[in-house]
C-alpha cells in the first residue's frame, strides 16, 4: 500500500448472509475490534441489514455499503433499489459489478457503467469490481480483459467523480474457492488497473486511486497481499462474517 498517496480501504462483502439480528450481533462484536483502525473500514451488507448496520455504525469509524444499486432514480423496477434510497438511509458505499452479479444476474460491463454513474450522481462511493475467469487467465488475456472492464466501467465518469471511485480486482477463480492470487499476481493486475486509469485520467489521478484486491483474502494472507505497493486494501468475502478474522485484516492494513 501507498498510504501517502491514497486511502487504504478494507471492505467486507457479506453477500447473502446475516439476518438483521445476526448483523447486529456481528457489528456489536466488530466495532470495538476496529475502533483504532488506521484504514477505512466498510461493511457492505444485504439490503435487509442496511437499517441495522447504519444505526449500529453511527458514531463509529465503520462505514456502511450496499451490494447493488439500480441505474434509474425511480420507476417500475420491482425489487431494485435506487441511489437516493440508499443515501437517504445513510449508506455511503456500494459494490457494483461483482462477478456473482455478472454470473447469476446478467450484469454486463455496460450496466456496470450505468450503475457506477448513477451511484456517483446519487452521492454514493462505488466499489467497482473487475476480474477474469480461470479460463481467461490460462488464455493469457487477463490484462486485456481487465483494461476493457475498467475503461467501460469508467466511461463518462469525470476526473472529479473518480476521486470517489474504488476499483476492486477480483479474480473470479479465487472468489469463494479458497484459492488466492499470489501477492505478485495481485500486484501485477492492480498495477495494470492503475496504469489504464493513468492513461485515461493522468498520473496524479491514478496515483490517488484506491485499488483493492478481492478473492479469498483472509487473516493469514492479508499482510503479504497488502505489502504490495499497488494493493490498497481488500474486498473481503467469507472472512468478513467473522469479526475477529476481519479485524486481523484491518490490523494488517493499519500496519501496512
Amino acid at each position: 500500500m501507498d498510504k501517502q498517496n491514497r486511502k487504504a480501504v478494507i471492505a467486507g462483502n457479506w453477500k447473502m448472509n446475516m439476518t438483521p439480528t445476526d448483523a447486529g450481533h456481528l457489528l456489536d462484536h466488530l466495532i470495538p475490534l476496529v475502533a483504532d483502525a488506521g484504514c477505512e473500514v466498510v461493511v457492505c451488507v444485504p439490503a435487509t441489514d442496511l437499517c441495522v448496520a447504519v444505526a449500529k455504525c453511527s458514531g463509529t469509524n465503520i462505514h456502511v455499503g450496499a451490494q447493488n444499486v439500480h441505474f434509474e432514480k425511480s420507476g417500475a423496477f420491482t425489487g431494485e433499489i435506487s441511489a437516493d434510497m440508499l443515501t437517504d438511509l445513510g449508506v455511503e458505499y456500494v459494490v457494483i459489478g461483482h462477478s456473482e452479479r455478472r454470473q447469476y444476474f446478467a450484469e454486463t460491463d455496460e450496466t456496470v457503467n450505468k450503475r457506477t454513474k448513477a451511484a456517483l450522481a446519487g452521492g454514493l462511493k462505488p466499489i467497482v469490481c473487475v476480474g477474469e475467469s480461470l479460463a481467461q487467465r490460462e488464455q493469457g488475456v487477463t490484462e486485456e480483459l481487465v483494461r476493457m472492464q475498467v475503461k467501460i466501467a469508467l466511461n463518462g465518469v469525470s476526473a472529479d467523480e473518480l476521486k470517489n471511485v474504488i476499483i476492486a480486482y477480483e479474480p473470479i477463480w479465487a472468489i469463494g474457492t479458497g484459492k488466492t492470487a499470489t501477492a505478485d499476481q495481485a500486484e501485477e493486475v492492480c498495477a495494470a488497473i492503475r496504469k489504464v486509469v493513468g492513461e485515461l485520467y493522468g498520473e496524479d489521478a491514478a496515483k490517488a486511486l484506491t485499488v483493492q484486491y478481492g478473492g479469498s483474502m483472509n487473516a493469514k494472507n492479508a499482510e503479504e497481499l497488502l505489502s504490495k505497493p499497488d494493493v490498497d486494501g481488500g474486498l473481503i468475502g467469507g472472512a468478513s462474517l467473522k469479526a475477529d478474522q476481519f479485524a486481523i485484516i484491518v490490523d494488517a492494513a493499519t500496519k501496512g
Side-chain angles (χ1 to χ4, degrees):
M1 296 182 294
D2 181 359
K3 290 184 180 179
Q4 290 185 332
N5 288 299
R6 49 191 174 264
K7 182 166 56 179
V9 181
I10 300 295
N13 176 18
W14 291 7
K15 305 189 181 184
M16 196 179 73
N17 294 290
M18 297 285 164
T19 66
T21 301
D22 294 334
H25 293 324
L26 176 57
L27 290 168
D28 282 340
H29 189 188
L30 179 64
I31 287 167
L33 295 179
V34 300
D36 297 322
C39 63
E40 188 113 316
V41 181
V42 184
V43 289
C44 298
V45 307
T48 52
D49 296 348
L50 287 171
C51 289
V52 170
V54 169
K56 287 284 186 181
C57 295
S58 177
T60 77
N61 62 323
I62 300 178
H63 304 263
V64 177
Q67 297 177 8
N68 195 21
V69 63
H70 194 58
F71 40 79
E72 297 290 348
K73 287 181 70 68
S74 62
F77 304 104
T78 302
E80 291 291 331
I81 301 175
S82 73
D84 288 345
M85 293 174 182
L86 294 173
T87 54
D88 192 63
L89 283 178
V91 174
E92 296 178 59
Y93 286 85
V94 61
V95 178
I96 294 176
H98 192 281
S99 67
E100 290 157 4
R101 298 296 310 173
R102 296 175 190 254
Q103 180 178 356
Y104 301 126
F105 303 104
E107 192 81 74
T108 66
D109 292 332
E110 288 72 22
T111 58
V112 167
N113 173 244
K114 291 170 72 173
R115 294 182 200 276
T116 298
K117 289 190 288 188
L120 289 165
L124 295 167
K125 298 175 182 178
I127 300 173
V128 181
C129 301
V130 298
E132 83 284 13
S133 67
L134 181 59
Q136 289 162 337
R137 171 162 282 275
E138 290 176 342
Q139 290 163 359
V141 298
T142 294
E143 184 169 344
E144 294 96 320
L145 178 79
V146 169
R147 284 177 60 88
M148 180 185 72
Q149 289 176 327
V150 170
K151 285 184 175 183
I152 296 174
L154 296 179
N155 184 39
V157 173
S158 71
D160 196 50
E161 289 175 323
L162 183 71
K163 296 173 184 177
N164 287 315
V165 175
I166 293 172
I167 297 180
Y169 168 52
E170 291 215 315
I172 297 169
W173 49 272
I175 298 171
T177 63
K179 297 179 180 178
T180 309
T182 66
D184 287 339
Q185 287 173 325
E187 167 63 17
E188 181 181 25
V189 182
C190 289
I193 291 169
R194 199 176 308 285
K195 181 180 178 182
V196 70
V197 170
E199 293 167 5
L200 294 171
Y201 295 93
E203 291 305 311
D204 288 346
K207 190 180 291 186
L209 177 74
T210 296
V211 182
Q212 296 176 318
Y213 171 76
S216 299
M217 182 185 282
N218 56 51
K220 293 181 179 179
N221 60 31
E223 186 173 350
E224 182 183 9
L225 287 162
L226 294 169
S227 71
K228 295 299 181 179
D230 287 295
V231 179
D232 306 315
L235 183 57
I236 315 301
S240 69
L241 300 174
K242 300 176 181 177
D244 55 344
Q245 298 297 300
F246 189 62
I248 291 172
I249 300 171
V250 170
D251 187 56
T254 297
K255 294 176 179 176

